[in-house]
Amino acid sequence: MNTCSNQRRTKKNERALLLLALTCTVLFLAGVASSQIYLPPPPPEPSEYGKVVLDQFSSNSPGGVVFDHWLHRSKFTCRLCHVDIGFAMQAKATGIQAASNREGFHCGSCHDGKRLYDGKPIFAACGDTSADKQCDRCHSLGKTGVRHYEYKAFVARFPKAYYGVDWQAAERSKAIKPVDFLEGVSLRKNHIEKRRDFTIKAGLPFVQPIVFSHQKHSVWNGCELCHPEIFPTAKKEAVSFSMYMNFDGRQCGACHRKVAFPLNNCGHCHPLGPEWIG
Amino acid sequence: MLKRMFIAVVLITGLAGFSSTRAFGEPASPAAREREAWQKEFDEICSRTQDAMSLSQEELATLIQRADALLPQIEKLDETRKKVYMGRLRMCRGLYEYVLESKKNEKK
């Protein structure tokens, strides 16, 4: 009798153990899966980072335009192009066409064959005259030997960080002087008033807060590039940040997953590091 | 003699007339005047974004109203101009609204 009940108890215990093991496995796998979601994808090579192919109207002829952010960001602020000139932050939303360039909009705002940069005229985009025809210089997708700038040679003189060029250090050292005003396009404005830096509490208990520098961000972006389109809520208590949204290209990820330094180095935004290190 | 004097007077009068036209410029057409007016209004509205935080709630509300009033004029522009300036107006109007909202929240 006792032996029989013992056997039943042992079987019950075995089943309970099996159930526990199964539950643990499921929880472990779910944890792994969720941590996979919250891990940023590895960024491409710095030379490829921020590369945009514009082929909405030119995929057949003369071919797609390869736009490299690293080249233009060394010369102009983000604000100048995305606010004053009107390049949208989303792909295919600007509607750049040869005609609009010729009219002096979009690329043609600077690339008109007359405007000077460093004392030299900037070549005309989609110029009508044969002398101006340098289509392949921009429409370079799939073509070799047509570009005038090569990443490695171009950034050689700039200070480097853990990932490509340290653009802030480059500006501090005057290696770059991004232009923020375009005559006939930009508006005369007062200097942006100094905004206080602030901290954002991290959602996880072991992660140190983000130290956000309004100062650093407003120098290149102005105010209206971020507010309200990227950060729409003016109510402080209603703002909710998430790494998932960042990795999805929203919030900080609108720039820091595409052009500005990527999100793979936690210490860049969480400068004090995880709590167990601090 | 009289003939020479007559020719000289005609020439001088003509030159004076020509130079005065050049000095004052050609009279602007109504369409050109309208175009200049919207551009001036746009410049005035959107040139305050850098100091939006120092504007009062009333000033911000006025700028938003002016932006709304300007929109129909921008909608009449040709396709590219319309797209560019509508985008720019949307951005500066949006910022003023955002700052106004945050100022209202601060007061609460």
Side-chain angles (χ1 to χ4, degrees):
Chain A
M1 184 77 181
N2 269 348
T3 320
C4 204
S5 70
N6 274 348
Q7 270 178 345
R8 251 183 254 147
R9 209 174 293 150
T10 315
K11 270 192 177 174
K12 264 188 185 174
N13 283 348
E14 274 175 3
R15 270 185 212 152
L17 266 172
L18 193 69
L19 196 67
L20 189 69
L22 260 170
T23 314
C24 285
T25 313
V26 168
L27 284 174
F28 174 75
L29 286 175
V32 169
S34 69
S35 70
Q36 288 296 319
I37 291 168
Y38 282 87
L39 279 177
E45 284 298 303
S47 58
E48 296 292 305
Y49 193 56
K51 177 177 273 186
V52 181
V53 172
L54 310 161
D55 59 358
Q56 202 179 357
F57 301 107
S58 61
S59 53
N60 296 329
S61 175
V65 170
V66 178
F67 176 86
D68 285 310
H69 269 98
W70 53 259
L71 176 60
H72 285 79
R73 72 173 298 180
S74 71
K75 299 169 190 285
F76 306 98
T77 62
C78 317
R79 199 201 63 77
L80 184 73
C81 301
H82 290 288
V83 176
D84 291 354
I85 297 177
F87 286 114
M89 297 282 279
Q90 303 81 23
K92 302 187 193 304
T94 310
I96 309 162
Q97 296 196 52
S100 64
N101 289 336
R102 282 188 209 115
E103 283 176 64
F105 292 101
H106 303 142
C107 312
S109 304
C110 296
H111 287 278
D112 62 355
K114 295 171 204 144
R115 210 179 276 276
L116 304 178
Y117 186 87
D118 256 354
K120 292 176 201 155
I122 305 169
F123 71 91
C126 311
D128 280 326
T129 61
S130 56
D132 286 338
K133 279 202 170 172
Q134 306 184 55
C135 312
D136 286 351
R137 227 175 137 166
C138 303
H139 294 270
S140 61
L141 187 67
K143 299 168 189 170
T144 48
V146 292
R147 307 293 303 275
H148 281 219
Y149 295 96
E150 191 266 321
Y151 177 79
K152 215 171 168 183
F154 185 76
V155 303
R157 66 199 165 97
F158 300 150
K160 307 291 184 302
Y162 75 98
Y163 178 81
V165 178
D166 184 338
W167 294 103
Q168 273 178 30
E171 195 184 23
R172 274 197 305 272
S173 66
K174 311 249 185 287
I176 61 165
K177 292 173 197 160
V179 174
D180 191 44
F181 185 86
L182 206 57
E183 195 64 56
V185 176
S186 303
L187 305 176
R188 297 257 173 229
K189 292 178 181 181
N190 290 336
H191 276 294
I192 200 158
E193 58 180 279
K194 197 172 179 184
R195 305 285 303 136
R196 270 177 306 170
D197 294 354
F198 60 88
T199 55
I200 302 162
K201 200 172 175 285
L204 294 169
F206 51 85
V207 180
Q208 293 281 8
I210 295 156
V211 179
F212 177 82
S213 170
H214 242 133
Q215 184 63 17
K216 283 181 196 167
H217 284 80
S218 57
V219 166
W220 287 342
N221 301 324
C223 307
E224 64 269 55
L225 190 56
C226 302
H227 302 292
E229 291 198 6
I230 300 173
F231 298 101
T233 315
K235 283 182 188 169
K236 273 183 191 157
E237 65 276 13
V239 181
S240 167
F241 296 96
S242 107
M243 287 310 291
Y244 176 74
M245 283 171 89
N246 288 336
F247 298 147
D248 194 39
R250 288 175 279 167
Q251 297 183 338
C252 312
C255 298
H256 285 285
R257 216 183 69 82
K258 296 167 185 169
V259 177
F261 67 80
L263 299 160
N264 302 67
N265 185 332
C266 313
H268 230 86
C269 303
H270 300 269
L272 304 169
E275 257 175 4
W276 62 77
I277 293 172
Chain B
M1 183 68 182
L2 206 67
K3 198 177 172 185
R4 276 184 193 163
M5 272 180 71
F6 177 74
I7 292 168
V9 167
V10 168
L11 269 173
I12 289 163
T13 318
L15 268 172
F18 177 71
S19 59
S20 69
T21 311
R22 300 294 294 174
F24 290 108
E26 285 174 27
S29 68
R33 272 204 299 273
E34 198 181 317
R35 190 168 62 233
E36 282 161 16
W38 80 256
Q39 182 83 58
K40 194 166 169 267
E41 177 68 351
F42 171 82
D43 291 2
E44 279 180 18
I45 295 168
C46 290
S47 62
R48 306 296 304 274
T49 52
Q50 304 281 65
D51 45 357
M53 281 303 286
S54 62
L55 299 175
S56 68
Q57 289 193 31
E58 291 71 32
E59 285 173 312
L60 288 163
T62 307
L63 285 168
I64 293 167
Q65 279 172 8
R66 285 172 68 182
D68 290 340
L70 183 63
L71 189 64
Q73 291 183 59
I74 291 182
E75 279 172 344
K76 284 185 211 159
L77 301 173
D78 62 82
E79 206 49 46
T80 310
R81 207 173 296 264
K82 183 171 89 177
K83 197 162 188 185
V84 168
Y85 282 97
M86 268 176 75
R88 289 179 73 175
L89 189 71
R90 191 192 67 242
M91 282 178 123
C92 66
R93 188 207 180 278
L95 178 73
Y96 297 141
E97 199 168 30
Y98 174 85
V99 175
L100 179 62
E101 196 69 20
S102 68
K103 282 186 181 248
K104 281 180 185 167
N105 287 330
E106 266 173 30
K107 272 197 172 178
K108 277 179 194 170

Coordinates of all heavy atoms in Angstrom, one line a residue, chain B residues 15-84:
Chain B
L15 N 17.0 111.2 -71.9 CA 18.0 110.6 -70.9 C 17.5 110.7 -69.5 O 17.6 109.7 -68.7 CB 19.4 111.2 -71.1 CG 20.3 110.6 -72.1 CD1 21.6 111.5 -72.2 CD2 20.7 109.2 -71.6
A16 N 17.0 111.9 -69.2 CA 16.5 112.1 -67.8 C 15.4 111.1 -67.5 O 15.3 110.5 -66.4 CB 16.1 113.5 -67.6
G17 N 14.5 111.0 -68.5 CA 13.3 110.1 -68.3 C 13.8 108.7 -68.1 O 13.3 108.0 -67.2
F18 N 14.7 108.3 -69.0 CA 15.2 106.9 -68.9 C 15.9 106.6 -67.6 O 15.6 105.5 -67.0 CB 16.2 106.7 -70.1 CG 16.8 105.3 -70.1 CD1 16.1 104.2 -70.5 CD2 18.2 105.1 -69.7 CE1 16.7 102.9 -70.5 CE2 18.8 103.9 -69.7 CZ 18.0 102.8 -70.1
S19 N 16.7 107.5 -67.1 CA 17.4 107.3 -65.9 C 16.5 107.3 -64.7 O 16.7 106.5 -63.7 CB 18.6 108.3 -65.7 OG 18.0 109.6 -65.6
S20 N 15.4 108.1 -64.7 CA 14.5 108.1 -63.6 C 13.7 106.8 -63.5 O 13.5 106.2 -62.5 CB 13.5 109.3 -63.7 OG 12.6 109.0 -64.8
T21 N 13.4 106.2 -64.7 CA 12.7 104.9 -64.7 C 13.6 103.8 -64.1 O 13.2 103.0 -63.3 CB 12.3 104.5 -66.2 OG1 11.7 105.6 -66.8 CG2 11.4 103.3 -66.2
R22 N 14.9 103.9 -64.5 CA 15.9 102.9 -64.0 C 16.0 103.1 -62.5 O 16.2 102.1 -61.8 CB 17.3 103.1 -64.7 CG 17.3 102.9 -66.2 CD 16.9 101.5 -66.6 NE 18.0 100.6 -66.2 CZ 17.9 99.3 -66.4 NH1 16.8 98.8 -67.0 NH2 18.8 98.5 -66.1
A23 N 16.0 104.3 -62.0 CA 16.3 104.6 -60.6 C 15.1 104.1 -59.8 O 15.3 103.5 -58.7 CB 16.5 106.1 -60.4
F24 N 13.9 104.3 -60.2 CA 12.8 103.9 -59.4 C 12.4 102.4 -59.7 O 11.6 101.8 -59.0 CB 11.6 104.8 -59.7 CG 11.8 106.2 -59.1 CD1 12.1 107.3 -59.9 CD2 11.8 106.3 -57.7 CE1 12.3 108.5 -59.4 CE2 12.1 107.6 -57.2 CZ 12.3 108.7 -58.0
G25 N 12.9 101.8 -60.7 CA 12.5 100.5 -61.1 C 11.2 100.4 -61.7 O 10.4 101.3 -61.7
E26 N 10.9 99.2 -62.3 CA 9.6 99.1 -63.0 C 8.5 98.9 -61.9 O 8.8 98.3 -60.9 CB 9.7 97.8 -63.9 CG 10.5 98.1 -65.1 CD 10.7 96.8 -66.0 OE1 9.8 95.9 -65.9 OE2 11.7 96.7 -66.6
P27 N 7.3 99.4 -62.2 CA 6.3 99.3 -61.2 C 5.9 97.8 -61.1 O 5.8 97.1 -62.1 CB 5.1 100.1 -61.8 CG 5.4 100.3 -63.2 CD 6.9 100.2 -63.4
A28 N 5.8 97.3 -59.8 CA 5.5 95.9 -59.6 C 4.1 95.6 -60.0 O 3.2 96.4 -59.7 CB 5.7 95.6 -58.2
S29 N 3.9 94.4 -60.6 CA 2.5 94.0 -61.0 C 1.8 93.5 -59.7 O 2.5 93.2 -58.7 CB 2.6 92.8 -61.9 OG 3.2 91.7 -61.3
P30 N 0.5 93.5 -59.7 CA -0.2 93.1 -58.5 C 0.2 91.7 -58.0 O 0.3 91.4 -56.8 CB -1.7 93.1 -58.9 CG -1.7 94.0 -60.1 CD -0.4 93.9 -60.7
A31 N 0.4 90.8 -59.0 CA 0.8 89.4 -58.7 C 2.2 89.4 -58.0 O 2.4 88.7 -57.0 CB 0.9 88.5 -59.9
A32 N 3.1 90.2 -58.5 CA 4.4 90.3 -57.9 C 4.4 90.9 -56.5 O 5.0 90.5 -55.6 CB 5.3 91.2 -58.7
R33 N 3.5 91.9 -56.3 CA 3.3 92.5 -55.0 C 2.8 91.5 -54.0 O 3.2 91.4 -52.9 CB 2.3 93.7 -55.1 CG 3.1 95.0 -55.4 CD 2.3 96.2 -55.0 NE 1.0 96.3 -55.6 CZ 0.7 96.9 -56.8 NH1 1.7 97.5 -57.4 NH2 -0.5 96.9 -57.3
E34 N 1.8 90.7 -54.5 CA 1.2 89.7 -53.6 C 2.3 88.6 -53.2 O 2.3 88.2 -52.1 CB 0.1 89.0 -54.4 CG -0.9 88.2 -53.5 CD -2.0 87.5 -54.2 OE1 -2.5 88.1 -55.2 OE2 -2.2 86.3 -53.9
R35 N 3.1 88.3 -54.2 CA 4.2 87.3 -54.0 C 5.2 87.9 -52.9 O 5.5 87.2 -52.0 CB 4.9 87.1 -55.3 CG 5.9 85.9 -55.2 CD 6.4 85.5 -56.5 NE 7.1 86.5 -57.2 CZ 6.9 87.0 -58.4 NH1 5.9 86.4 -59.1 NH2 7.6 87.9 -59.0
E36 N 5.5 89.1 -53.1 CA 6.4 89.8 -52.1 C 5.8 89.8 -50.7 O 6.4 89.6 -49.7 CB 6.8 91.2 -52.5 CG 7.9 91.2 -53.6 CD 7.9 92.5 -54.4 OE1 7.4 93.5 -53.9 OE2 8.5 92.5 -55.5
A37 N 4.5 90.1 -50.7 CA 3.8 90.2 -49.4 C 3.8 88.9 -48.6 O 4.0 88.8 -47.4 CB 2.3 90.7 -49.7
W38 N 3.5 87.8 -49.3 CA 3.5 86.5 -48.6 C 4.9 86.1 -48.1 O 5.0 85.6 -47.0 CB 2.8 85.3 -49.4 CG 3.7 84.7 -50.4 CD1 3.6 84.9 -51.8 CD2 4.7 83.7 -50.2 NE1 4.5 84.1 -52.4 CE2 5.2 83.4 -51.5 CE3 5.3 83.2 -49.1 CZ2 6.3 82.5 -51.7 CZ3 6.4 82.3 -49.3 CH2 6.9 82.0 -50.6
Q39 N 5.9 86.4 -48.9 CA 7.2 86.1 -48.6 C 7.7 86.9 -47.3 O 8.3 86.3 -46.4 CB 8.2 86.4 -49.8 CG 9.6 86.1 -49.5 CD 9.9 84.6 -49.8 OE1 9.7 84.1 -50.9 NE2 10.4 83.9 -48.8
K40 N 7.3 88.1 -47.3 CA 7.6 89.0 -46.2 C 6.9 88.5 -44.9 O 7.6 88.4 -43.8 CB 7.2 90.4 -46.5 CG 7.8 91.5 -45.6 CD 7.5 92.9 -46.1 CE 7.9 93.9 -45.1 NZ 6.8 94.3 -44.3
E41 N 5.7 88.1 -45.1 CA 4.9 87.6 -43.9 C 5.5 86.3 -43.4 O 5.7 86.1 -42.2 CB 3.4 87.4 -44.3 CG 2.5 86.8 -43.3 CD 2.3 87.8 -42.1 OE1 3.0 88.8 -42.0 OE2 1.5 87.4 -41.2
F42 N 5.9 85.4 -44.4 CA 6.5 84.2 -44.0 C 7.8 84.4 -43.2 O 8.1 83.8 -42.2 CB 6.8 83.3 -45.3 CG 7.6 82.1 -45.0 CD1 7.0 80.9 -44.6 CD2 9.0 82.1 -45.2 CE1 7.8 79.8 -44.3 CE2 9.8 81.0 -44.9 CZ 9.2 79.9 -44.5
D43 N 8.6 85.3 -43.8 CA 9.9 85.6 -43.1 C 9.7 86.1 -41.7 O 10.4 85.7 -40.8 CB 10.7 86.7 -43.9 CG 11.2 86.1 -45.2 OD1 10.9 85.0 -45.6 OD2 11.8 86.9 -46.0
E44 N 8.7 87.0 -41.5 CA 8.5 87.5 -40.2 C 8.0 86.5 -39.2 O 8.4 86.4 -38.1 CB 7.4 88.7 -40.3 CG 8.0 90.0 -40.7 CD 7.0 91.1 -40.8 OE1 5.9 90.9 -40.2 OE2 7.3 92.1 -41.5
I45 N 7.1 85.6 -39.7 CA 6.5 84.6 -38.8 C 7.6 83.6 -38.4 O 7.8 83.3 -37.3 CB 5.4 83.8 -39.5 CG1 4.2 84.7 -39.8 CG2 4.9 82.6 -38.7 CD1 3.1 84.2 -40.7
C46 N 8.3 83.1 -39.4 CA 9.3 81.9 -39.1 C 10.7 82.4 -38.7 O 11.5 81.5 -38.4 CB 9.4 81.0 -40.4 SG 7.8 80.1 -40.6
S47 N 10.9 83.7 -38.6 CA 12.2 84.1 -38.1 C 12.3 84.1 -36.6 O 13.3 84.5 -36.0 CB 12.6 85.4 -38.7 OG 11.6 86.4 -38.2
R48 N 11.2 83.7 -35.9 CA 11.3 83.8 -34.4 C 11.5 82.5 -33.8 O 11.4 82.4 -32.5 CB 9.9 84.4 -33.9 CG 9.5 85.7 -34.5 CD 10.5 86.9 -34.2 NE 10.8 87.1 -32.8 CZ 10.0 87.8 -32.0 NH1 9.0 88.5 -32.5 NH2 10.3 88.0 -30.7
T49 N 11.8 81.4 -34.5 CA 11.9 80.1 -33.9 C 13.0 80.0 -32.9 O 12.9 79.2 -31.9 CB 12.1 79.0 -35.0 OG1 13.2 79.4 -35.8 CG2 10.8 78.8 -35.9
Q50 N 14.1 80.6 -33.2 CA 15.3 80.5 -32.3 C 15.0 81.1 -30.9 O 15.6 80.6 -29.9 CB 16.5 81.2 -32.8 CG 16.9 80.7 -34.2 CD 17.7 79.4 -34.2 OE1 17.1 78.4 -33.9 NE2 18.9 79.5 -34.7
D51 N 14.1 82.1 -30.8 CA 13.9 82.7 -29.5 C 12.4 82.4 -29.1 O 11.8 83.2 -28.3 CB 14.2 84.1 -29.4 CG 13.8 84.9 -30.6 OD1 13.2 84.3 -31.6 OD2 13.9 86.1 -30.6
A52 N 11.9 81.3 -29.6 CA 10.5 81.0 -29.3 C 10.2 80.9 -27.8 O 9.2 81.2 -27.3 CB 10.1 79.7 -30.0
M53 N 11.2 80.3 -27.1 CA 11.1 80.1 -25.6 C 10.9 81.4 -24.8 O 10.4 81.5 -23.7 CB 12.2 79.3 -25.1 CG 12.2 77.8 -25.3 SD 10.7 77.0 -24.7 CE 11.0 77.0 -23.0
S54 N 11.4 82.5 -25.4 CA 11.3 83.8 -24.7 C 10.1 84.6 -25.1 O 9.8 85.7 -24.5 CB 12.6 84.6 -24.9 OG 12.7 84.9 -26.3
L55 N 9.3 84.1 -26.0 CA 8.1 84.8 -26.4 C 7.0 84.5 -25.4 O 6.9 83.4 -24.8 CB 7.6 84.3 -27.8 CG 8.6 84.5 -28.9 CD1 8.1 83.9 -30.2 CD2 8.9 86.0 -29.1
S56 N 6.1 85.5 -25.2 CA 4.9 85.3 -24.3 C 3.9 84.4 -25.0 O 3.9 84.2 -26.2 CB 4.3 86.7 -24.0 OG 3.7 87.2 -25.1
Q57 N 3.0 84.0 -24.2 CA 1.9 83.1 -24.7 C 1.1 83.8 -25.8 O 0.7 83.3 -26.8 CB 1.0 82.6 -23.6 CG 1.7 81.6 -22.7 CD 0.7 80.9 -21.8 OE1 -0.5 80.7 -22.1 NE2 1.2 80.5 -20.6
E58 N 0.9 85.1 -25.6 CA 0.1 85.9 -26.5 C 0.9 86.1 -27.8 O 0.3 85.9 -28.9 CB -0.2 87.3 -25.9 CG -1.1 87.4 -24.8 CD -0.6 86.8 -23.5 OE1 0.7 86.9 -23.3 OE2 -1.3 86.2 -22.7
E59 N 2.2 86.3 -27.7 CA 3.0 86.4 -29.0 C 3.0 85.1 -29.7 O 2.9 85.1 -31.0 CB 4.4 86.8 -28.6 CG 4.6 88.3 -28.2 CD 6.0 88.6 -27.7 OE1 6.5 87.8 -26.8 OE2 6.5 89.6 -28.1
L60 N 3.1 84.0 -29.0 CA 3.1 82.7 -29.7 C 1.7 82.4 -30.4 O 1.7 82.0 -31.5 CB 3.4 81.6 -28.7 CG 4.8 81.5 -28.1 CD1 4.9 80.7 -26.9 CD2 5.8 81.0 -29.2
A61 N 0.7 82.8 -29.6 CA -0.7 82.6 -30.2 C -0.9 83.4 -31.5 O -1.5 83.0 -32.5 CB -1.7 82.9 -29.2
T62 N -0.3 84.6 -31.4 CA -0.5 85.5 -32.6 C 0.3 84.9 -33.8 O -0.2 84.9 -34.9 CB 0.1 86.9 -32.3 OG1 -0.6 87.4 -31.1 CG2 -0.1 87.9 -33.4
L63 N 1.5 84.4 -33.5 CA 2.3 83.8 -34.6 C 1.6 82.6 -35.2 O 1.6 82.4 -36.4 CB 3.7 83.4 -34.1 CG 4.7 84.6 -33.8 CD1 5.9 84.1 -33.0 CD2 5.1 85.2 -35.1
I64 N 1.0 81.8 -34.4 CA 0.2 80.7 -34.9 C -0.9 81.1 -35.8 O -1.2 80.6 -36.8 CB -0.3 79.8 -33.7 CG1 0.9 79.2 -33.0 CG2 -1.2 78.7 -34.2 CD1 0.6 78.5 -31.6
Q65 N -1.6 82.1 -35.3 CA -2.8 82.7 -36.1 C -2.3 83.2 -37.4 O -2.9 83.0 -38.5 CB -3.5 83.8 -35.3 CG -4.4 83.3 -34.3 CD -4.9 84.5 -33.4 OE1 -4.7 85.6 -33.7 NE2 -5.7 84.1 -32.3
R66 N -1.2 83.9 -37.4 CA -0.6 84.5 -38.6 C -0.2 83.4 -39.6 O -0.4 83.4 -40.8 CB 0.6 85.4 -38.3 CG 0.1 86.7 -37.8 CD 1.3 87.5 -37.3 NE 2.2 88.0 -38.4 CZ 3.3 88.7 -38.2 NH1 3.7 89.0 -37.0 NH2 4.1 89.1 -39.2
A67 N 0.4 82.3 -39.0 CA 0.8 81.1 -39.9 C -0.5 80.5 -40.5 O -0.4 80.2 -41.7 CB 1.5 80.1 -39.0
D68 N -1.5 80.4 -39.7 CA -2.8 79.8 -40.3 C -3.4 80.7 -41.4 O -3.9 80.2 -42.4 CB -3.8 79.6 -39.2 CG -3.4 78.5 -38.2 OD1 -2.6 77.7 -38.6 OD2 -3.9 78.5 -37.1
A69 N -3.2 82.0 -41.2 CA -3.8 82.9 -42.2 C -2.9 82.9 -43.5 O -3.5 83.2 -44.6 CB -3.8 84.3 -41.6
L70 N -1.7 82.6 -43.3 CA -0.8 82.6 -44.5 C -0.9 81.4 -45.3 O -0.7 81.4 -46.6 CB 0.7 82.8 -44.0 CG 1.8 82.9 -45.1 CD1 1.6 84.1 -45.9 CD2 3.2 82.9 -44.4
L71 N -1.3 80.3 -44.7 CA -1.3 79.0 -45.4 C -2.1 79.0 -46.7 O -1.6 78.5 -47.7 CB -1.9 77.9 -44.5 CG -1.8 76.5 -45.0 CD1 -0.4 76.1 -45.1 CD2 -2.5 75.5 -44.0
P72 N -3.3 79.6 -46.8 CA -4.0 79.6 -48.1 C -3.3 80.3 -49.2 O -3.4 79.9 -50.4 CB -5.3 80.4 -47.8 CG -5.5 80.3 -46.3 CD -4.1 80.2 -45.7
Q73 N -2.5 81.3 -48.8 CA -1.7 82.0 -49.9 C -0.6 81.1 -50.4 O -0.2 81.1 -51.6 CB -1.1 83.3 -49.3 CG -2.1 84.3 -49.0 CD -1.5 85.6 -48.5 OE1 -0.6 86.2 -49.2 NE2 -1.8 86.0 -47.3
I74 N 0.0 80.3 -49.5 CA 1.1 79.4 -49.9 C 0.5 78.3 -50.7 O 1.2 77.8 -51.6 CB 1.9 78.9 -48.6 CG1 2.7 80.1 -48.1 CG2 2.8 77.8 -49.0 CD1 3.5 79.8 -46.9
E75 N -0.7 77.9 -50.4 CA -1.3 76.8 -51.2 C -1.5 77.2 -52.6 O -1.7 76.3 -53.5 CB -2.6 76.4 -50.5 CG -2.4 75.5 -49.3 CD -3.7 75.2 -48.5 OE1 -4.6 76.0 -48.7 OE2 -3.7 74.3 -47.7
K76 N -1.5 78.5 -52.9 CA -1.8 78.9 -54.3 C -0.5 78.9 -55.1 O -0.5 79.1 -56.3 CB -2.3 80.4 -54.3 CG -3.7 80.5 -53.9 CD -4.1 82.0 -54.1 CE -5.2 82.4 -53.1 NZ -5.2 83.8 -52.9
L77 N 0.7 78.7 -54.5 CA 2.0 78.8 -55.2 C 2.1 77.5 -56.1 O 1.4 76.6 -56.0 CB 3.1 78.8 -54.2 CG 3.1 80.0 -53.2 CD1 4.2 79.8 -52.2 CD2 3.3 81.3 -54.0
D78 N 3.1 77.6 -57.0 CA 3.4 76.5 -57.9 C 3.9 75.3 -57.0 O 4.3 75.5 -55.9 CB 4.4 76.8 -58.9 CG 5.8 77.2 -58.4 OD1 6.6 76.3 -58.0 OD2 6.0 78.4 -58.2
E79 N 3.9 74.1 -57.6 CA 4.0 72.9 -56.9 C 5.2 72.8 -55.9 O 5.1 72.5 -54.7 CB 4.0 71.7 -57.9 CG 3.6 70.4 -57.3 CD 2.2 70.4 -56.5 OE1 1.3 71.0 -57.0 OE2 2.2 69.9 -55.4
T80 N 6.4 73.1 -56.5 CA 7.6 72.9 -55.7 C 7.7 74.0 -54.6 O 7.9 73.7 -53.4 CB 8.9 73.1 -56.6 OG1 8.7 72.3 -57.7 CG2 10.2 72.8 -55.9
R81 N 7.4 75.2 -55.0 CA 7.4 76.3 -54.0 C 6.4 76.0 -52.9 O 6.7 76.2 -51.7 CB 7.0 77.6 -54.7 CG 7.6 78.9 -54.0 CD 7.3 80.1 -54.9 NE 8.0 79.9 -56.2 CZ 9.2 80.5 -56.5 NH1 9.8 81.2 -55.6 NH2 9.7 80.3 -57.6
K82 N 5.3 75.5 -53.3 CA 4.2 75.2 -52.3 C 4.7 74.2 -51.3 O 4.6 74.3 -50.1 CB 3.0 74.7 -53.0 CG 1.8 74.4 -52.1 CD 0.5 74.2 -52.9 CE 0.4 72.7 -53.2 NZ -0.8 72.4 -53.9
K83 N 5.3 73.1 -51.8 CA 5.7 72.0 -51.0 C 6.8 72.5 -50.0 O 6.8 72.2 -48.8 CB 6.3 70.9 -51.9 CG 6.4 69.6 -51.1 CD 6.5 68.4 -52.0 CE 6.4 67.1 -51.2 NZ 6.6 65.9 -52.0
V84 N 7.8 73.2 -50.5 CA 8.9 73.7 -49.7 C 8.4 74.6 -48.6 O 8.7 74.4 -47.4 CB 10.0 74.4 -50.5 CG1 11.0 75.1 -49.6 CG2 10.7 73.3 -51.4

